[in-house]
Amino acid sequence: MDQLIITGGHPLNGSIEIAGAKNATLPELCAALLAAEPVTLTNVPALQDVRTMLRLLENMGVNVTHGDDGCVVLNAQAVANLEAPYELVKTMRASILVLGPLLARFGRARVSLPGGCAIGSRPVDQHIKGLQAMGAHIEVAHGYIEARLSDGLTRLKGARITTDMVTVTGTENFMMAAVLADGETVLENAAQEPEITDLAEMLIAMGAEIEGHGTSRIRIHGVPALTGCLHQVVADRIEAGTFLCAVGATGGDVVLRHARGDHLDAVIEKLLEAGVEVMRETDGLRVKSPGAKALVAQSFRTTEYPGFPTDMQAQFMAMNVVAKGTSTVVETIFENRFMHVQELQRLGAHITVDGKTAVIQGGAALSGAHVMATDLRASASLVIAGLVSDGETAVERVYHLDRGYDRMEVKLRGVGARIERVRA
Ligand code: UD1
């Protein structure tokens, strides 16, 4: 297994290109299942999760061709296999996103219960409940979700769906199911993340009738069929946020090209309060920092968009570890998302965890050590901590990082970080 070897203590200067968003790409690849015509996506990031999703779709019979610069053409005309097998689903929870489109276009699907990051139990009960409300008959047996249309139906039917909590992939599954359903679907308590809006824009380009995306109530009027489309994947706000925190912690001056400041308001506000300068430029963000020791640690709680993203919690915490003062971080979305704390402690961080609250005594002088990545964003926090540690840090299990960051070490090296990948 690959390792990242980081020699800390170097400020970051230069410019980094932000890739297309993982969490927009994954549902958008699945949306290609909805049409019998080719769908072209551009700005698709080169990530392990994207490769896994493409393998899953190819296994179903989707024809996939790659063009230059992150262009992927998917043709789902000849889909023959309506199953998402365990072998492909186990590493990636987002595989559940094939369920809505398959049911909507083919009236049937068999999808393994998902795996993915070990950040809590992460059930899919809401997905099942919502699709049942739209007329799906669903049984869970032998580790698989077996779904078909209820007797008497020839397609899904519109419904009012109110989920118990805000769920991002749940909202996406319902949107993709509803675009081909009979009649109107209203999603209450819908997720408002930019990735939802990006998916809605793609579906609209395919001929879907959707209103209210980006708010908590989305209305969808089903149409008989969708067409192909050309869609550019929105920039990855979490990749951008990760580099904002990296520069915040190490100090330096970096331009993040294509980064969308309007998708990062909650994170940018905290960075500004901490003492990091973040400037919005025409096509990106510029971040300037005196380094973590001159920053003031910030308390925050993770919430749904537009609140502070749970996917930025670990990275911001890494900065808080070295900044001045005590901070409190409350994780409200996932019940087990502090696994990076133990590893940060190995580098010298002072953190105590009580349930969903972590208290960080800032000002730690970190010293490099061997640490183990436990999930995707935890890995990024360990890289940031390594960049500000004295001496050498080895981050193991880098495959977690590769799921969601496109060559992070290459991008960091480009702005002056001492970071190498050691191939196992
Ligand atoms: C998505 C993102 C992930 C991010 C998360 C929260 C993708 C591919 N992944 O994950 O990066 O961390 O949103 O912003 O977009 N829940 C249930 N039952 C369900 C569905 C969800 O109990 O049927 C719970 C989850 O366990 C969690 C909370 O609801 O506690 C939110 O989860 P959800 O928004 O669904 O996360 P994902 O869509 O899996």
Side-chain angles (χ1 to χ4, degrees), residues 14-15 93 116 127 176-177 190 202 218 221 225 228 261 309 320 342 347 404 416:
S15 107
R93 177 183 160 83
H127 297 245
M176 291 190 281
M202 172 183 171
I218 303 177
H221 202 89
N320 275 352
Q342 256 189 332
L347 297 170

Side-chain angles (χ1 to χ4, degrees), residues 97-153:
L97 286 166
V98 299
L99 185 58
L102 286 179
L103 263 172
R105 177 151 163 240
F106 303 101
R108 232 163 18 88
R110 187 166 187 269
V111 179
S112 170
L113 286 169
C117 282
I119 51 175
S121 61
R122 301 182 86 177
V124 289
D125 56 309
Q126 301 298 309
H127 297 245
I128 292 174
K129 201 178 88 172
L131 293 169
Q132 281 171 332
M134 296 180 74
H137 179 277
I138 298 183
E139 281 171 24
V140 178
H142 310 294
Y144 276 79
I145 301 168
E146 318 240 2
R148 60 176 171 80
L149 296 178
S150 296
D151 294 345
L153 290 184

Side-chain angles (χ1 to χ4, degrees), residues 19 47 58 116 164 243 249 369:
L47 306 173
E58 281 181 311
D164 295 350
F243 288 126

Side-chain angles (χ1 to χ4, degrees), residues 22-23 26 93-94 97 119 121-127 165-170 172 193 310-311 333-335 337 377:
K22 167 178 94 71
N23 286 354
L26 296 176
R93 177 183 160 83
L97 286 166
I119 51 175
S121 61
R122 301 182 86 177
V124 289
D125 56 309
Q126 301 298 309
H127 297 245
M165 78 289 290
V166 178
T167 155
V168 176
T169 48
E172 290 162 349
E193 270 66 2
T310 173
D311 285 352
I333 307 291
F334 293 113
E335 79 247 26
R337 205 171 197 181
R377 305 304 168 183

